[in-house]
Amino acid sequence: MAEKDQVKLLGIWASPFSRRVEMALKLKGIPYEYVEEILENKSPLLLALNPIHKKIPVLVHNGKTILESHVILEYIDETWPHNPILPQDPYERSKARFFAKLVDEQIMNVGFVSMARADEKGREVLAEQARELIMYLEKELVGKDYFGGKTVGFLDFVAGSLIPFCLERGWEGIGLEVITEEKFPEFKRWVKNLEKVEIVKDCVPPREKHVEHMNYMAERVRSS
């Protein structure tokens, strides 16, 4: 990276959306300044940089603002092409993008937003819907260490930050087991592989504190 490059990331410690960006920056070896935001008291800087959504993550590179985690990941990959994040093959790249949307839109909605508002019976129904969606990821992982093959990349960062290192902690907080070793052996093996990768381990929030945070976030959803 050229000496003139200045990189700043606005995020929240518990957010899978900013954590995945940190994973990408660490994979690329890009030095960056991290600015921790507070959910209930967003900084003037965040509101100025992202006035439309008022959300993290926000990446600032040499004064240019990049928003939305998927867009930021692709920007990082194109700006610093070493240690590629996205698959080089166009078809595999399209699949990675498709499944990343599945994770952040459908699995997130079923596994957290709807789950937080449901009663106990409704949660069981939603848990089964989540399993059906996660089964698509299970099938993608057959015969692979990671979604892209032998090295971590785009879909690993997206799915890893959201499902095992976020949603599962929310489910743990309400005593719900959605993903079992018996039904999802490939997924569980993949999570164990992720936990061995230093750049991923560095970006996984502490479990107990995160479980408490997910309970708090679920309460916010219920009261909204």
Side-chain angles (χ1 to χ4, degrees):
M1 185 176 69
E3 287 185 3
K4 65 180 176 62
D5 281 337
Q6 294 184 336
V7 180
K8 180 183 292 187
L9 174 65
L10 281 66
I12 292 175
W13 69 271
S15 168
F17 306 106
S18 58
R19 286 296 195 172
R20 66 182 54 155
V21 175
E22 289 194 80
M23 292 176 193
L25 290 169
K26 288 177 183 291
L27 178 69
K28 300 284 189 177
I30 308 302
Y32 63 97
E33 176 191 352
Y34 178 76
V35 179
E36 177 72 17
E37 288 289 331
I38 299 172
L39 188 65
E40 303 84 352
N41 186 22
K42 296 171 183 176
S43 72
L45 178 62
L46 173 62
L47 299 178
L49 292 172
N50 191 0
I52 298 174
H53 299 303
K54 304 177 177 62
K55 292 179 179 179
I56 56 94
V58 174
L59 186 77
V60 184
H61 176 219
N62 292 339
K64 295 175 291 189
T65 302
I66 304 95
L67 309 172
E68 302 291 334
S69 69
H70 292 193
V71 176
I72 293 171
L73 290 175
E74 296 211 27
Y75 177 86
I76 290 170
D77 209 27
E78 292 174 12
T79 303
W80 298 282
H82 63 283
N83 298 341
I85 296 171
L86 279 154
Q88 300 301 290
D89 177 75
Y91 174 65
E92 293 300 325
R93 197 157 57 242
S94 71
K95 282 207 303 180
R97 288 171 174 145
F98 172 82
F99 283 115
K101 285 191 60 136
L102 177 84
V103 168
D104 277 1
E105 293 176 8
Q106 291 177 263
I107 295 176
M108 173 69 173
N109 184 58
V110 169
F112 177 67
V113 180
S114 297
M115 191 85 74
R117 295 187 173 121
D119 58 18
E120 189 172 345
K121 185 176 180 181
R123 285 175 183 169
E124 289 297 335
V125 173
L126 290 164
E128 191 53 41
Q129 291 177 15
R131 291 184 191 107
E132 290 174 5
L133 292 168
I134 295 166
M135 186 56 68
Y136 290 107
L137 301 178
E138 171 78 6
K139 292 173 182 176
E140 277 297 306
L141 285 164
V142 174
K144 302 176 184 175
D145 292 337
Y146 307 101
F147 282 105
K150 291 293 183 183
T151 57
V152 290
F154 181 78
L155 188 52
D156 301 292
F157 295 157
V158 172
S161 62
L162 187 78
I163 304 174
F165 306 134
C166 184
L167 292 184
E168 284 202 88
R169 291 171 174 193
W171 300 333
E172 180 182 333
I174 58 174
L176 190 64
E177 186 178 23
V178 176
I179 305 172
T180 62
E181 185 96 40
E182 181 181 8
K183 191 164 185 179
F184 296 94
E186 300 295 332
F187 184 93
K188 290 291 190 180
R189 180 180 56 80
W190 167 71
V191 173
K192 289 175 184 174
N193 288 340
L194 280 182
E195 290 172 338
K196 296 173 187 174
V197 180
E198 285 298 324
I199 61 159
V200 174
K201 280 181 11 183
D202 288 347
C203 298
V204 175
R207 177 180 291 278
E208 288 186 18
K209 184 180 177 185
H210 203 194
V211 170
E212 290 178 9
H213 177 81
M214 291 303 292
N215 285 339
Y216 166 71
M217 292 300 295
E219 187 57 45
R220 278 177 61 99
V221 170
R222 280 192 290 274
S223 61
S224 64

